Every structure is written in structure tokens, then in C-alpha cells.
Amino acid sequence: DIAFATAFVTLFTGPFLVGYVQRLGGGDAAIGLLSAIPSLAGILQIPGAIRGRSYPSYKSYVAPPGIAWRLLQLPILALPFLPLPNETKLTILVAIVGLAAATIALVNPIYNEWLAELVPPTSRGFYFSRRNALAASVGSVVGIAGAWLLDASRDAKGEPTDPGFAAVFGLGLVCAAISQFFFLRMKDLPREKPVKRSLREGIADTVRPVADPVFRRVLGFIAISVVSQLFAGNLYQAFGRESLGLNFRVLQGTAVAMAVGNVLAAPVWGFLSDRYGNRPTL
């Protein structure tokens, strides 16, 4: 599931999304907005987790939004062929990205909790390290295929065409369908003690740990890390396309380099995490 979900996300984000925004005439502000929307939607993980903990089944809560998240990308596949002004297409694209990000954010915490429950505590480092390596590997390989399709579709001016973007988005939806197939085969688990809380009570439970000075330091570390990584966001991809004149295969090659690093590091940190714990490993 995660391998092909990562491939699906790869083909609808990163250099492919940046390239399509540029194709529609969107500038850096539009690229920055599309980078920011998924992060802003992350706040919905709080009410999503509160509601999800009241469900007696993990899968029954995660499945409907997961299917909706995939289906919401169908209009993006049709966008290149719709007889609409580029400004209207860009507006539709922003709306779809926002709605899809909000949909999947609602279930992300419960999905991760479900995975953690499926894996014995003493093997979580082993499992998640290899899971991440597999996801990065499949995502990068499929991404290279998408980059090849897009580069092969260039017009006389050397620019990617609408059919090229449609081919990439179509490949992404195929990966989404494969991901959904494996998701449906995952074993469900009953929640032993569903926790029913009102939204106000749930938010109070979420905020309470902030009073702990040790936890505040962890939050500070995470905040600085996230801000430093997302400040430029997809503008790196725009810089590569506009200023350096890189093709999509070269841009996607950076993901391959990251995947190689993940594969090489996964066995090491998985072993260390299971043997010594997460904090010493970090």
C-alpha cells in the first residue's frame, strides 16, 4: 500500500505539480500556495484523531477518506483537456489539492496508529525502516517513468505538453488503484477501548502535554526542523526548471538519490532503534 501510495503522491506533487502550475501560467506565489496547503491542512489531524479514537475499527474509519483522497485526483487528469481558461484551471487545481489534503489529514493519525498496532513493539524499527526504504524506492522509480513520459512529450519549443501531463497523472491514478488494492487486503484490528471525547475535551487532552517543559523542547525542535525544510518548498523545483533549465528526469533523479540513501540507511537505523530505542538512535 505505502509503496504505490508514495508513487501516486510522487506523480501528483513535486516537479510534476510545479511543471503543471507553470504550464498554466502560475508563478512562485501559486507554487508556494500549493506547497503550503497540505501543511495547513495538517491541523485537521487533531479533530480527525479525536473522532477516530471513538471508532471500534481502524479500517472502517480510515478506508472511506482514503478512497476519497484517491478519487479526488480524477479531475486533475481531466484538466489538461478541459476547454477552460488557464486561470480557471489553476483555481480548480488549488481547490482539489486543498480538499484532498484535508481529507487525508483527517485519518493520518489513526492510520499510523493502526500500523503501529499491527507490528510488535520489538520489531517496529525493523518494519518501518524497510517500509520507508521500499516506499522511497518504488516512488522514485515510478517518478523516473513519469519524468520520461513528460520529457518525451515536449513540443517544438521544448515545453511539456498537456497530453504529457495527462499521461503522468494517469500513471499516478494507476498507482493509486494498486495502492487501494493492497490497502483493502490489510488486516483490520478492533480497538480494544474506543475513547469517546467531545471536540473540546479532545483538544484539551491534546494541549495538556504542552505544559511539560520537556515536551515543549521537543515541539520546538520539530517546529524548527519543519520550517527549515518547507520554507522554500517546491521553489527548489521551480528554480531547477526556470533558472537551471533542468529536465524532469534530472529533477526526479534527486528523489532516486534520496531513495538510495534510505535503502542504505534503513537496516542500520532499524536495528539500532529496536535494540537501543528511538531517542539514542536520534
Side-chain angles (χ1 to χ4, degrees):
D1 171 29
I2 191 63
F4 284 95
T6 302
F8 160 57
V9 171
T10 297
L11 294 170
F12 278 91
T13 58
F16 304 109
L17 180 63
V18 169
Y20 190 55
V21 170
Q22 292 172 330
R23 171 84 177 161
L24 296 177
D28 292 342
I31 294 170
L33 176 62
L34 286 167
S35 300
I37 286 174
S39 298
L40 292 172
I43 194 68
L44 295 176
Q45 292 182 87
I46 295 175
I50 294 168
R51 186 165 182 264
R53 293 176 67 196
S54 67
Y55 272 62
S57 159
Y58 289 97
K59 198 170 191 176
S60 64
Y61 179 71
V62 174
I67 295 172
W69 172 59
R70 292 164 172 84
L71 292 178
L72 278 167
Q73 312 304 321
L74 278 170
I76 297 180
L77 175 61
L79 273 182
F81 303 110
L82 294 179
L84 298 172
N86 284 346
E87 294 81 2
T88 303
K89 291 183 179 181
L90 192 56
T91 301
I92 294 173
L93 180 64
V94 170
I96 291 172
V97 169
L99 187 57
T103 299
I104 200 63
L106 288 169
V107 298
N108 264 339
I110 303 302
Y111 179 71
N112 291 329
E113 182 186 4
W114 178 22
L115 289 179
E117 290 296 324
L118 284 171
V119 182
T122 55
S123 300
R124 286 174 183 165
F126 175 90
Y127 169 74
F128 283 103
S129 64
R130 282 151 181 80
R131 176 180 183 266
N132 293 344
L134 176 64
S137 300
V138 174
S140 64
V141 170
V142 174
I144 286 292
W148 182 86
L149 284 172
L150 207 50
D151 286 336
S153 74
R154 291 177 180 273
D155 57 21
K157 296 180 180 179
E159 294 297 322
T161 61
D162 285 340
F165 280 108
V168 169
F169 298 148
L171 178 60
L173 288 172
V174 170
C175 292
I178 297 172
S179 166
Q180 184 66 29
F181 170 78
F182 284 107
F183 171 85
L184 294 175
R185 292 170 62 87
M186 286 173 59
K187 177 185 177 182
D188 193 12
L189 288 177
R191 184 183 289 277
E192 293 184 1
K193 296 180 180 179
V195 180
K196 294 188 177 181
R197 289 277 194 279
S198 67
L199 182 60
R200 176 177 293 183
E201 291 172 333
I203 292 176
D205 290 340
T206 303
V207 174
R208 191 173 294 115
V210 178
D212 185 343
V214 176
F215 187 68
R216 285 201 300 270
R217 286 196 290 271
V218 174
L219 286 179
F221 163 71
I222 293 173
I224 293 171
S225 299
V226 172
V227 167
S228 64
Q229 292 176 56
L230 297 183
F231 184 76
N234 279 331
L235 294 178
Y236 286 113
Q237 312 290 349
F239 172 69
R241 291 271 299 126
E242 295 175 359
S243 300
L244 302 181
L246 302 178
N247 61 33
F248 286 95
R249 281 171 291 181
V250 174
L251 289 173
Q252 194 58 36
T254 61
V256 175
M258 183 181 69
V260 171
N262 277 337
V263 170
L264 294 176
V268 178
W269 77 257
F271 168 78
L272 293 175
S273 178
D274 288 335
R275 184 70 177 270
Y276 301 108
N278 291 323
R279 181 171 177 173
T281 303
L282 286 172

